[in-house]
Amino acid sequence: MTNKDNTTAVEQSFELQKIYHKKSTFDAPNAPAVFLDEWKPSISVDLNTEANRISDTTYEVVLTVKCKAKATNSDTQLFNTTVEQAGIFEIEGYEETEIMALVGSYCPAQLYPFARNHISSQVLHGGFPQLLLAPVDFDALLDDAIKSADQESQGSETNDTDDEVEVI
């Protein structure tokens, strides 16, 4: 393919090569006593993504999902579960900003249903009622992370603020 300047343009391609569990853990530290109480949990979910360049066009993207459940009326820990769901993606012909959007949003969105299913299975097999995690807008999370990083870099350049911004 050539463009107006008679230079060769690289064709864009995006391929999912592999999806796999990198790591998973489940812990019910207060079992069996927690099964005797009424089921009123307070559940927190933390998400984290990481992208590692394996070669010029190959990336490993790892989505880490952590769920913690506590009894609502006490600090009793019901369960903790962590799943690291990973994928290998072949990405070629994109600009760096487009690659950042793909590995920061699109790739984790492809991995999330697998992680969500694995967490649901772990919780169910741990003796607890089924846990259904809500869908996640990874585009919005990436936008928030970029805005927070921009604010932090501007804050460190001007030293106007010491506020910390937490990005999920």
Side-chain angles (χ1 to χ4, degrees):
M1 172 187 286
T2 59
N3 60 18
K4 293 178 185 176
D5 299 333
N6 248 358
T7 57
T8 304
V10 177
E11 192 172 319
Q12 292 181 331
S13 70
F14 177 90
E15 293 183 36
L16 173 59
Q17 300 292 319
K18 186 82 167 166
I19 292 180
Y20 57 97
H21 286 293
K22 192 159 185 147
K23 181 180 179 183
S24 60
T25 61
F26 179 85
D27 180 34
N30 295 303
V34 295
F35 299 125
L36 303 175
D37 293 333
E38 186 178 356
W39 178 248
K40 288 186 179 180
S42 169
I43 298 175
S44 66
V45 179
D46 293 318
L47 302 172
N48 188 28
T49 61
E50 179 182 332
N52 305 304
R53 182 174 256 165
I54 298 172
S55 72
D56 288 344
T57 60
T58 307
Y59 297 82
E60 176 196 46
V61 177
V62 180
L63 171 65
T64 303
V65 182
K66 295 180 181 181
C67 295
K68 295 181 180 182
K70 289 185 175 183
T72 303
N73 54 359
S74 71
D75 283 337
T76 303
Q77 195 69 39
L78 302 174
F79 65 81
N80 302 305
T81 182
T82 302
V83 169
E84 289 182 11
Q85 188 70 47
I88 299 174
F89 299 87
E90 191 76 27
I91 304 171
E92 188 171 10
Y94 291 90
E95 299 292 325
E96 279 300 314
T97 54
E98 294 171 315
I99 291 173
M100 187 177 85
L102 286 169
V103 300
S105 174
Y106 186 76
C107 294
Q110 303 309 302
L111 301 172
Y112 183 68
F114 294 91
R116 182 171 58 185
N117 183 49
H118 193 71
I119 285 176
S120 179
S121 178
Q122 282 183 326
V123 170
L124 192 60
H125 286 104
F128 296 94
Q130 183 180 25
L131 175 64
L132 298 174
L133 298 178
V136 173
D137 184 351
F138 285 96
D139 290 334
L141 290 177
L142 179 62
D143 287 345
D144 289 347
I146 291 170
K147 287 176 187 174
S148 295
D150 287 347
Q151 288 175 351
E152 285 180 15
S153 67
Q154 290 172 358
S156 65
E157 291 173 7
T158 61
N159 282 336
D160 287 343
T161 181
D162 291 332
D163 293 343
E164 292 184 15
V165 178
E166 182 178 331
V167 177
I168 297 176

